[in-house]
Coordinates of all heavy atoms in Angstrom, one line a residue:
G113 N -82.1 51.0 37.2 CA -83.6 51.0 37.3 C -84.3 51.1 36.0 O -85.4 50.5 35.8
D114 N -83.6 51.8 35.0 CA -84.3 52.0 33.8 C -84.1 50.7 32.9 O -84.8 50.6 31.8 CB -83.8 53.2 33.0 CG -82.2 53.2 32.9 OD1 -81.6 52.4 33.5 OD2 -81.8 54.0 32.1
G115 N -83.3 49.8 33.3 CA -83.0 48.7 32.4 C -84.2 47.6 32.3 O -84.2 46.9 31.4
I116 N -85.2 47.8 33.2 CA -86.3 46.9 33.2 C -87.4 47.4 32.2 O -88.3 46.6 31.9 CB -86.9 46.7 34.6 CG1 -87.5 48.0 35.1 CG2 -85.9 46.2 35.6 CD1 -88.3 47.8 36.4
V117 N -87.3 48.6 31.8 CA -88.5 49.2 31.1 C -88.9 48.4 29.8 O -90.1 48.1 29.7 CB -88.2 50.7 30.8 CG1 -89.3 51.2 29.9 CG2 -88.1 51.5 32.1
P118 N -88.0 48.1 28.9 CA -88.5 47.4 27.7 C -89.1 46.1 28.0 O -90.2 45.8 27.4 CB -87.1 47.2 26.9 CG -86.2 48.3 27.4 CD -86.6 48.5 28.9
S119 N -88.6 45.4 28.9 CA -89.2 44.0 29.2 C -90.5 44.2 30.0 O -91.4 43.4 29.8 CB -88.3 43.2 30.1 OG -87.1 42.9 29.3
V120 N -90.6 45.2 30.9 CA -92.0 45.5 31.5 C -93.0 45.7 30.5 O -94.1 45.3 30.5 CB -91.9 46.6 32.6 CG1 -93.2 47.0 33.1 CG2 -91.0 46.1 33.7
N121 N -92.6 46.6 29.5 CA -93.5 46.9 28.4 C -94.1 45.7 27.6 O -95.2 45.6 27.4 CB -92.9 48.0 27.5 CG -92.8 49.3 27.9 OD1 -93.5 49.7 29.0 ND2 -91.9 50.1 27.4
S122 N -93.1 44.8 27.4 CA -93.4 43.6 26.6 C -94.3 42.7 27.4 O -95.3 42.1 27.0 CB -92.1 42.8 26.3 OG -91.3 43.5 25.4
L123 N -94.1 42.6 28.8 CA -94.9 41.8 29.6 C -96.3 42.3 29.7 O -97.2 41.4 30.0 CB -94.3 41.7 31.0 CG -94.8 40.8 32.1 CD1 -94.7 39.3 31.5 CD2 -94.1 40.9 33.4
M124 N -96.6 43.5 29.6 CA -98.0 44.0 29.7 C -98.9 43.3 28.8 O -100.1 43.2 29.0 CB -97.9 45.6 29.4 CG -97.3 46.4 30.5 SD -97.4 48.2 30.0 CE -96.5 48.9 31.3
A125 N -98.4 42.9 27.5 CA -99.2 42.3 26.6 C -99.8 41.0 27.0 O -100.8 40.5 26.5 CB -98.5 42.1 25.3
D126 N -99.2 40.4 28.1 CA -99.7 39.1 28.6 C -100.8 39.2 29.6 O -101.3 38.2 30.0 CB -98.5 38.4 29.2 CG -97.4 38.0 28.2 OD1 -97.7 37.9 27.1 OD2 -96.3 37.8 28.7
F127 N -101.2 40.4 30.0 CA -102.2 40.6 31.0 C -103.3 41.4 30.6 O -103.3 42.5 29.9 CB -101.5 41.3 32.3 CG -100.5 40.5 32.9 CD1 -99.2 40.4 32.5 CD2 -100.9 39.7 34.1 CE1 -98.3 39.6 33.1 CE2 -100.0 38.9 34.7 CZ -98.7 38.8 34.2
A128 N -104.6 41.0 31.0 CA -105.8 41.8 30.7 C -105.9 43.1 31.6 O -106.4 44.0 31.1 CB -107.0 40.9 31.0
T129 N -105.2 43.1 32.7 CA -105.2 44.2 33.6 C -103.9 44.6 34.0 O -103.0 43.7 34.4 CB -106.0 43.9 34.9 OG1 -107.4 43.6 34.5 CG2 -106.1 45.2 35.8
V130 N -103.5 45.8 33.9 CA -102.2 46.4 34.3 C -102.5 47.5 35.1 O -103.2 48.5 34.9 CB -101.4 46.9 33.0 CG1 -100.1 47.5 33.4 CG2 -101.1 45.7 32.1
V131 N -101.7 47.5 36.4 CA -101.8 48.6 37.3 C -100.4 49.2 37.5 O -99.4 48.4 37.6 CB -102.3 48.1 38.7 CG1 -102.3 49.2 39.7 CG2 -103.7 47.5 38.5
L132 N -100.2 50.5 37.4 CA -99.0 51.1 37.7 C -99.2 51.9 39.0 O -100.2 52.5 39.4 CB -98.7 52.2 36.6 CG -98.7 51.7 35.2 CD1 -98.4 52.9 34.3 CD2 -97.7 50.6 35.0
T133 N -98.1 51.8 39.9 CA -98.0 52.7 41.0 C -97.1 53.8 41.0 O -96.1 53.7 40.1 CB -97.7 51.9 42.3 OG1 -96.3 51.4 42.3 CG2 -98.6 50.6 42.4
Q134 N -97.2 54.8 41.7 CA -96.4 56.0 41.5 C -96.3 56.7 42.9 O -97.2 57.0 43.6 CB -97.2 57.0 40.5 CG -96.4 58.2 40.1 CD -97.1 58.9 39.0 OE1 -98.3 58.9 38.9 NE2 -96.5 59.7 38.2
D135 N -95.0 56.8 43.4 CA -94.7 57.6 44.5 C -95.1 59.0 44.2 O -94.7 59.6 43.1 CB -93.2 57.5 44.9 CG -93.0 56.7 46.1 OD1 -93.9 55.9 46.6 OD2 -91.8 56.8 46.6
W136 N -95.8 59.7 45.1 CA -96.3 61.1 44.8 C -96.4 61.8 46.1 O -97.4 62.1 46.7 CB -97.7 60.8 44.2 CG -98.2 62.1 43.4 CD1 -99.2 62.9 43.8 CD2 -97.8 62.4 42.1 NE1 -99.4 63.9 42.8 CE2 -98.6 63.6 41.7 CE3 -97.0 61.9 41.2 CZ2 -98.5 64.3 40.5 CZ3 -96.9 62.6 39.9 CH2 -97.6 63.7 39.6
H137 N -95.2 62.3 46.5 CA -95.0 63.0 47.8 C -95.3 64.4 47.7 O -94.8 65.1 46.8 CB -93.6 62.7 48.3 CG -93.3 61.3 48.6 ND1 -94.1 60.5 49.3 CD2 -92.3 60.5 48.2 CE1 -93.6 59.3 49.4 NE2 -92.4 59.3 48.7
P138 N -95.9 65.1 48.8 CA -95.8 66.5 49.0 C -94.4 66.9 49.3 O -93.7 66.1 49.8 CB -96.7 66.7 50.1 CG -96.8 65.5 50.9 CD -96.6 64.4 49.9
A139 N -94.1 68.2 49.0 CA -92.7 68.6 49.2 C -92.2 68.6 50.6 O -91.1 68.6 50.9 CB -92.5 70.1 48.7
N140 N -93.2 68.5 51.6 CA -92.9 68.6 53.1 C -92.9 67.2 53.6 O -93.2 67.1 54.8 CB -93.7 69.6 53.7 CG -95.2 69.2 53.7 OD1 -95.6 68.5 52.9 ND2 -96.0 69.8 54.6
H141 N -92.8 66.1 52.9 CA -93.1 64.9 53.4 C -92.2 64.5 54.5 O -90.9 64.7 54.5 CB -93.0 63.8 52.3 CG -93.8 62.5 52.7 ND1 -93.3 61.6 53.6 CD2 -95.0 62.1 52.3 CE1 -94.3 60.7 53.7 NE2 -95.3 60.9 52.9
S142 N -92.7 63.9 55.5 CA -92.0 63.5 56.8 C -90.9 62.5 56.5 O -90.0 62.3 57.4 CB -92.9 63.1 57.9 OG -93.6 61.9 57.6

Side-chain angles (χ1 to χ4, degrees):
D114 57 347
I116 68 173
V117 172
S119 295
V120 170
N121 287 340
S122 296
L123 188 60
M124 289 181 186
D126 295 340
F127 290 85
T129 300
V130 174
V131 176
L132 306 179
T133 73
Q134 192 173 23
D135 253 15
W136 199 255
H137 296 309
N140 65 339
H141 202 284
S142 61

